[in-house]
Amino acid sequence: ELLEVDQIIHCKSDSNYSEIHLENGKTLVASKTLKEFDEMLSNKGFLRIHNSHLVNLEKVKKILKADGGYVEMSNGDKLGISRNRKEELFKFLEHIKNT
């Protein structure tokens, strides 16, 4: 199935597969790793915020610092941010805010 990139809210790792969560509420399963999706989408506004989560930064609704930090996506999904990736996320969002 061909997708428009802006339809993707986030991708979630599931071993050697990835779940792709879409704006229309559907979830697709692809036989690619999250690393492969990261390589394809990192220059299209996506950022890996955790070993298990790749998010479309335009679909981030809130960033909450409680419980170690997580993002709330436009579809209501709450995804944890790893300690190692918090700084990168904040730098990226600051850059977007200033452009």
Side-chain angles (χ1 to χ4, degrees), residues 3-98:
L3 300 172
E4 293 290 327
V5 172
D6 63 347
Q7 293 177 351
I8 302 170
I9 297 174
H10 69 92
C11 301
K12 181 180 175 188
S13 173
D14 186 10
S15 189
N16 289 328
Y17 296 89
S18 295
E19 294 176 6
I20 304 167
H21 296 260
L22 303 174
E23 284 220 319
N24 63 9
K26 288 171 81 176
T27 300
L28 303 176
V29 177
S31 59
K32 291 189 182 295
T33 64
L34 197 59
K35 180 180 179 184
E36 291 173 274
F37 279 107
D38 188 15
E39 291 168 357
M40 285 189 288
L41 298 171
S42 64
N43 64 345
K44 297 188 180 352
F46 285 74
L47 185 69
R48 187 104 175 241
I49 61 166
H50 190 279
N51 283 342
S52 300
H53 305 295
L54 177 68
V55 299
N56 182 341
L57 292 169
E58 291 189 10
K59 308 295 182 185
V60 173
K61 193 164 120 181
K62 293 183 200 175
I63 298 175
L64 301 147
K65 294 183 180 181
D67 302 324
Y70 60 94
V71 295
E72 184 175 331
M73 303 305 293
S74 60
N75 65 350
D77 287 351
K78 293 179 180 160
L79 310 172
I81 306 168
S82 75
R83 272 186 253 147
N84 300 340
R85 301 189 191 251
K86 265 186 200 178
E87 188 176 330
E88 184 180 1
L89 173 63
F90 290 129
K91 279 182 185 176
F92 202 91
L93 292 174
E94 187 64 31
H95 174 73
I96 289 172
K97 183 177 151 185
N98 292 329

